């Protein structure tokens, strides 16, 4: 569907700007003004088409979310920088009021930026000149396993009975004072879907005439929480943990940032396909040296040994186009940790923390020369 | 110095013409192909310095065109910029892996298109008059 919707819009944009730039002859000031109106509406239509396509992906279950260890401060800085111009044009003060340091979150960095852009863009639209929009993040007081991110504005506000409805698909504000923004009513619905699919929650609070506060929570990154599900079906009192290390390198002895970025997602997809999703965990990205990129799998069972996994990884990587085209090398190996005892009545999370400490210790020991950290 | 040559592979006649006017005004010589099949013939005939490639094409989509171009030694090194209505990380990743220099989503704003073309051609970006309109961030 996307191609069919975007091609006519592309042609309209191209020819309006051709006329505006005088490439087809001189344009008088009044005609110029009219073309400006067409262009403004093209931009609006483009935003609507993007929203529509995003919702189509949500409904088809095709929304691509790549969870990784990410920095919320980076996402806030990106958003504030991106929308600073729009805020300035409206004489609105846009600030990031977050004070670090904050722990990383377990989320898709692209999607977090998308959520923040929608919320801050809305806040700017609903706030009158001389007003303010503030973005901040902190540990959530109610549950410290989450960060809460807030976008607060001094705009017109939302009546109390609408603060839940605004997240519904196609909901439109009926208040004429707030209906200045023409849209399909999909932005907040997309935010809600994106937040909930990353294990969070979003809500709004507001006082009519005084402003609104949009808040959402996202889980703080925790390796033990990431690993805990792998222990659920594992009833033994002690667990055998096997670590599988795959090292991606370059024949030149140096892995550039570009190759590293290009290969990383692809490598993680390959490794994920070699795992038993219930028993094995692909650990988050690790720091590594300029020559190599390291990927570690923790296999929480002795039934599917490290040998089987390494064999699968080697089969997938050997002769693969990605490895050959980028002139990369790889090696993979595995080792088993001493069994970790689970005490009677010990919670899964506490046990997972113990296991994670052992994993960290083992990786540190093995790679101390490379300064590898999880 | 003679103008650089750009081959536009695009099946939509209006979009094709819009690109033609914009790029001609920026001193490029423009050639066209309207489907996957003719793109190879036109590339051989004109030996362009750069190819702007749509993905959704009749008679062989953009991915197939890239595969074919990369298989012909004389054409394999021509930089390709994908300009497509297809969005999403998967299409972007696939296009870049297939050898595209850049992936731009329609409607691409003029400033971005010209900057990417100049970069791919190794030209210094120098704007003499404002021929561009920012489409915004969303």
């Amino acid at each position: 569907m996307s191609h069919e919707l975007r091609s006519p819009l592309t042609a309209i944009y191209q020819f309006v700007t051709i006329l505006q730039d005088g490439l087809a002859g001189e344009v008088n000031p009044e005609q110029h003004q009219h073309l400006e109106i067409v262009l403004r509406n093209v931009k609006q239509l483009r935003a609507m088409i993007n929203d529509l396509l995003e919702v189509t992906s949500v409904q088809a279950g095709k929304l691509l979310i790549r969870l990784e260890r990410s920095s919320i401060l980076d996402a806030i800085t990106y958003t504030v920088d991106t929308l600073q111009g729009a805020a300035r044009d409206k004489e609105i003060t846009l600030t990031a009021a977050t004070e670090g340091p904050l722990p990383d979150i377990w989320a898709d960095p692209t999607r977090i930026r998308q959520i923040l852009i929608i919320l801050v863009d809305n806040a700017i639209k609903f706030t009158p000149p001389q007003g303010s929009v503030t973005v901040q993040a902190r540990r959530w007081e109610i549950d410290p396993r989450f960060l809460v991110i807030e976008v607060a504005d001094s705009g017109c506000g939302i009546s109390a009975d609408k603060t839940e409805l605004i997240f519904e698909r196609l909901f439109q504000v009926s208040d004429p004072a707030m209906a200045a923004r023409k849209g399909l009513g999909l932005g907040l619905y997309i935010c809600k879907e994106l937040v909930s699919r990353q294990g969070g929650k979003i809500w709004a609070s507001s006082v009519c005439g005084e402003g609104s506060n949009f808040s959402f929570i996202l889980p703080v990154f925790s390796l033990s929480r990431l690993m805990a599900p792998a222990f659920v079906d594992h009833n033994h009192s002690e667990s055998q943990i096997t670590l599988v290390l795959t090292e991606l390198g370059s024949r030149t002895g140096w892995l550039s940032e570009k190759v590293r970025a290009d290969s990383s997602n692809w490598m993680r997809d390959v490794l994920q396909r070699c795992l038993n999703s219930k028993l094995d965990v692909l650990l988050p990205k690790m720091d590594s040296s300029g020559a190599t990129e390291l990927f570690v799998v923790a296999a929480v069972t002795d039934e599917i040994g490290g040998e089987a996994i390494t064999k699968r990884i080697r089969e997938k990587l050997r002769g693969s186009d990605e490895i050959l085209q980028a002139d990369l090398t790889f090696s993979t190996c595995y080792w088993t940790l001493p069994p970790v005892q689970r005490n009677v009545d010990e919670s899964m999370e506490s046990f997972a923390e113990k296991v994670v400490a052992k994993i960290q210790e083992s990786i540190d020991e093995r790679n101390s020369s490379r300064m590898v950290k999880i | 110095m003679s103008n650089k040559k750009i081959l536009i592979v695009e099946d939509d006649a209006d979009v094709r013409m819009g690109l033609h006017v914009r790029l001609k005004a920026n001193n490029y010589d423009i050639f066209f192909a309207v489907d996957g099949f003719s793109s190879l013939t036109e590339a051989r005939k004109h030996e362009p310095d750069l190819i702007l490639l749509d993905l959704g094409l009749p008679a062989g989509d953009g991915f197939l065109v890239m595969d074919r171009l990369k298989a012909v030694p004389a054409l394999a090194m021509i930089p390709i910029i994908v300009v497509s209505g297809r969005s999403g990380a998967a299409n972007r990743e696939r296009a870049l892996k297939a050898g595209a220099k850049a992936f731009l989503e329609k409607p691409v704003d003029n400033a971005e298109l010209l900057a990417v073309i100049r970069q791919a051609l190794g030209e210094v970006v120098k704007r003499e008059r404002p021929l561009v309109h920012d489409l915004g961030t969303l």
Side-chain angles (χ1 to χ4, degrees):
Chain A
M1 176 167 88
S2 78
H3 186 257
E4 286 71 17
L5 287 173
R6 283 186 169 135
S7 282
L9 189 67
T10 299
I12 298 170
Y13 169 73
Q14 286 173 329
F15 284 98
V16 170
T17 56
I18 283 167
L19 292 175
Q20 270 196 321
D21 290 333
L23 300 182
E26 207 170 313
V27 180
N28 70 36
E30 194 185 349
Q31 289 166 336
H32 203 277
Q33 206 179 356
H34 294 169
L35 290 169
E36 199 58 54
I37 294 169
V38 180
L39 194 60
R40 198 166 63 229
N41 282 275
V42 166
K43 289 177 192 177
Q44 207 161 48
L45 199 54
R46 186 175 88 143
M48 287 179 187
I49 289 174
N50 286 346
D51 282 356
L52 259 180
L53 294 172
E54 194 75 327
V55 169
T56 311
S57 300
V58 170
Q59 289 171 337
K62 286 182 179 169
L63 200 62
L64 188 68
I65 291 180
R66 282 183 194 276
L67 295 178
E68 59 185 75
R69 191 175 178 170
S70 346
S71 156
I72 192 66
L73 294 179
D74 287 355
I76 291 176
T77 307
Y78 170 88
T79 307
V80 169
D81 288 351
T82 304
L83 293 176
Q84 199 57 260
R88 212 178 298 123
D89 288 349
K90 246 189 112 179
E91 294 175 43
I92 287 170
T93 312
L94 170 60
T95 41
T98 296
E99 285 174 19
L102 280 176
D104 285 340
I105 49 173
W106 184 242
D108 182 331
T110 311
R111 296 304 191 178
I112 301 308
R113 289 201 295 265
Q114 188 181 356
I115 295 165
L116 281 169
I117 291 267
I118 293 173
L119 293 179
V120 174
D121 189 49
N122 270 354
I124 293 171
K125 279 175 184 145
F126 286 121
T127 302
Q130 320 302 331
S132 66
V133 175
T134 311
V135 190
Q136 61 165 311
R138 60 175 188 278
R139 279 264 191 190
W140 195 30
E141 302 80 2
I142 295 168
D143 184 345
R145 292 177 304 169
F146 292 86
L147 288 191
V148 59
I149 300 100
E150 286 178 354
V151 177
D153 65 61
S154 62
C156 50
I158 308 156
S159 58
D161 59 325
K162 302 263 173 30
T163 51
E164 278 185 31
L165 286 173
I166 50 173
F167 293 102
E168 297 298 315
R169 191 166 63 96
L170 299 174
F171 177 80
Q172 291 280 13
V173 175
S174 52
D175 180 351
M178 291 173 63
R181 180 205 174 198
K182 291 172 205 154
L184 292 176
L186 293 173
L188 290 176
Y189 168 74
I190 291 169
C191 282
K192 188 179 84 173
E193 288 296 320
L194 289 174
V195 170
S196 67
R197 281 166 197 238
Q198 295 178 88
K201 205 173 78 173
I202 187 166
W203 67 95
S205 56
S206 181
V207 177
C208 259
E210 287 182 21
S212 306
N213 196 341
F214 284 82
S215 312
F216 62 100
I217 53 166
L218 288 169
V220 167
F221 169 72
S222 152
L223 192 52
S224 50
R225 216 174 313 140
L226 185 69
M227 289 206 67
F231 298 110
V232 170
D233 296 328
H234 198 76
N235 294 320
H236 310 299
S237 60
E238 55 176 41
S239 284
Q240 184 100 27
I241 312 286
T242 297
L243 294 181
V244 180
L245 175 78
T246 302
E247 198 166 341
L248 190 68
S250 154
R251 287 184 202 285
T252 61
W254 179 260
L255 211 53
S256 71
E257 278 309 312
K258 188 183 179 317
V259 174
R260 201 188 291 277
D262 288 351
S263 317
S264 203
N265 284 338
W266 161 76
M267 264 297 277
R268 293 188 74 81
D269 288 344
V270 169
L271 293 175
Q272 202 69 60
R273 286 200 295 274
C274 296
L275 305 182
N276 177 328
S277 60
K278 284 191 177 159
L279 295 169
D280 311 328
V281 179
L282 176 59
L283 302 189
K285 188 176 164 51
M286 309 168 84
D287 294 333
S288 51
S289 71
T292 56
E293 180 87 350
L294 301 179
F295 302 87
V296 177
V297 171
V300 191
T301 175
D302 48 5
E303 287 162 24
I304 300 174
E307 192 174 341
I309 299 176
T310 43
K311 192 172 163 222
R312 260 179 264 157
I313 294 172
R314 278 182 196 143
E315 277 168 8
K316 293 261 184 208
L317 293 182
R318 198 173 287 140
S320 76
D321 285 349
E322 281 77 4
I323 294 277
L324 293 174
Q325 276 170 14
D327 207 16
L328 299 169
T329 59
F330 75 92
S331 66
T332 184
C333 65
Y334 70 94
W335 69 97
T336 302
L337 301 186
V340 185
Q341 205 75 33
R342 183 173 171 193
N343 299 329
V344 183
D345 297 336
E346 187 174 12
S347 76
M348 199 59 83
E349 202 157 325
S350 144
F351 177 62
E353 269 170 30
K354 221 158 67 181
V355 172
V356 164
K358 293 277 177 206
I359 290 174
Q360 178 73 70
E361 206 175 286
S362 176
I363 293 174
D364 282 351
E365 216 171 89
R366 200 167 177 103
N367 300 290
S368 55
S369 60
R370 288 199 191 98
M371 302 286 286
V372 172
K373 279 189 306 183
I374 290 180
Chain B
M1 204 175 77
S2 64
N3 292 342
K4 292 272 172 69
K5 292 182 283 184
I6 297 180
L7 174 65
I8 297 172
V9 186
E10 168 65 63
D11 61 330
D12 186 305
D14 294 344
V15 173
R16 221 162 45 223
M17 191 176 160
L19 284 169
H20 179 222
V21 176
R22 174 67 54 187
L23 296 177
K24 207 162 172 288
N26 281 272
N27 302 319
Y28 295 110
D29 288 342
I30 306 301
F31 304 94
F32 299 110
V34 297
D35 56 35
F37 181 75
S38 64
S39 62
L40 269 290
T41 322
E42 295 303 313
R44 280 181 202 274
K45 194 164 135 194
H46 302 290
E47 295 181 346
D49 298 293
L50 182 137
I51 297 175
L52 288 186
L53 178 66
D54 187 16
L55 287 181
L57 293 166
D61 74 0
F63 293 114
L64 191 68
V65 171
M66 279 193 275
D67 277 352
R68 297 262 163 87
L69 286 168
K70 296 291 171 195
V72 181
L75 307 175
M77 299 311 284
I78 301 173
I80 298 168
I81 296 171
V82 169
V83 183
S84 174
R86 294 187 195 173
S87 59
N91 278 317
R92 179 182 299 272
E93 276 175 32
R94 197 176 157 200
L96 296 179
K97 262 182 203 148
K101 286 269 180 213
F103 181 98
L104 302 173
E105 257 178 42
K106 285 180 185 169
V108 50
D109 86 52
N110 299 321
E112 192 181 3
L113 178 67
L114 291 171
V116 170
I117 287 174
R118 284 167 185 159
Q119 198 183 6
L121 288 171
E123 296 174 336
V124 179
V125 179
K126 192 173 109 190
R127 201 179 300 151
E128 286 171 354
R129 61 187 181 125
L131 286 177
V132 293
H133 298 268
D134 182 14
L135 253 179
T137 50
L138 283 178

